[in-house]
Amino acid sequence: LAAAAFSAAEAEPKRLTLAEAEALVRTGLKPSPDAGINPALPFSLQEWKDEALWTRLRAQVFRIIQNDWPQTTVIIHKGRVVPFGVSFGGLGVGSLCVTDLDSDKQPELVFTYAWGSGMHRAQLGIVRFAEALPKWESLGLTYLHGDLALERVSDQKVKVRQATVRWGANLDKAADGATLVPGAELATIEYDAA
């Protein structure tokens, strides 16, 4: 059924191995403030484990780890590498879920990201896939001095929860064990046609 969404002229996308994704990131991601890394230097990838990314969006999401810290998160979609969120001074993308908030049968990716040097903040973002190149934008909600996590209720409803970071044994190696622990519900995201 998922394959039926692609036109006959469009080839069925192929899920990438870590080695294939790393090669694509090296060639497809240019050093810039948006990327936050220099792909010519050593890095590793951590793939986001959420099957809906592939089954509904035909996309893969990877955290890029450089110097033992998440530097940026990227979507690989139709052979293109698209950075999203902000990670400067923080852990970057912390949670995500596939939704169809406006019920237009074009799923989108809602996510939280945390960043900040001096003033830590967590924000909500969305990646829309309706255009040829996925684009991300902030949803305008900012939570200061803390983190956020998402809980998908349905395609049209997502709970936003306060979250705390549970650190691993080595605080200098966030990639080795910093995880978000969801807490109290702060808000609910629902589409309002008005």
Side-chain angles (χ1 to χ4, degrees), residues 2 12 15 17 31 33 37 42 71 74 94 105 150 152 155 181 188:
E12 175 71 18
R15 200 170 198 160
T17 65
I37 71 156
Q71 296 298 322
V74 297
K105 302 201 185 317
L150 299 176
R152 183 183 181 281
D155 260 5
V181 179
T188 300

Side-chain angles (χ1 to χ4, degrees), residues 99-103 152 154-158 189-191:
T99 64
D100 185 8
L101 293 173
D102 57 3
S103 300
R152 183 183 181 281
S154 69
D155 260 5
Q156 287 75 43
K157 185 175 182 177
V158 177
I189 303 170
E190 291 181 278
Y191 181 71

Side-chain angles (χ1 to χ4, degrees), residues 24-148:
L24 194 57
V25 167
R26 283 200 189 285
T27 60
L29 191 63
K30 305 297 180 225
S32 73
D34 290 339
I37 71 156
N38 180 351
L41 299 176
F43 67 86
S44 63
L45 297 178
Q46 290 177 343
E47 185 170 7
W48 207 280
K49 304 295 183 196
D50 183 338
E51 197 56 29
L53 292 166
W54 185 253
T55 59
R56 297 191 62 199
L57 298 173
R58 289 297 193 242
Q60 289 173 272
V61 173
F62 296 91
R63 268 191 172 150
I64 300 175
I65 309 300
Q66 200 168 56
N67 299 322
D68 297 319
W69 200 265
Q71 296 298 322
T72 195
T73 302
V74 297
I75 295 168
I76 298 181
H77 183 257
K78 295 183 180 179
R80 294 189 181 137
V81 179
V82 180
F84 70 105
V86 178
S87 61
F88 176 76
L91 293 175
V93 174
S95 64
L96 53 80
C97 61
V98 178
T99 64
D100 185 8
L101 293 173
D102 57 3
S103 300
D104 67 352
K105 302 201 185 317
Q106 300 261 339
E108 60 270 332
L109 182 66
V110 178
F111 64 98
T112 64
Y113 58 104
W115 65 285
S117 178
M119 183 185 299
H120 181 81
R121 70 210 78 175
Q123 294 181 276
L124 290 177
I126 189 168
V127 180
R128 301 179 196 279
F129 289 81
E131 299 177 24
L133 184 64
K135 289 175 32 178
W136 80 275
E137 62 187 272
S138 174
L139 286 177
L141 186 135
T142 300
Y143 183 67
L144 296 177
H145 310 297
D147 289 278
L148 297 172

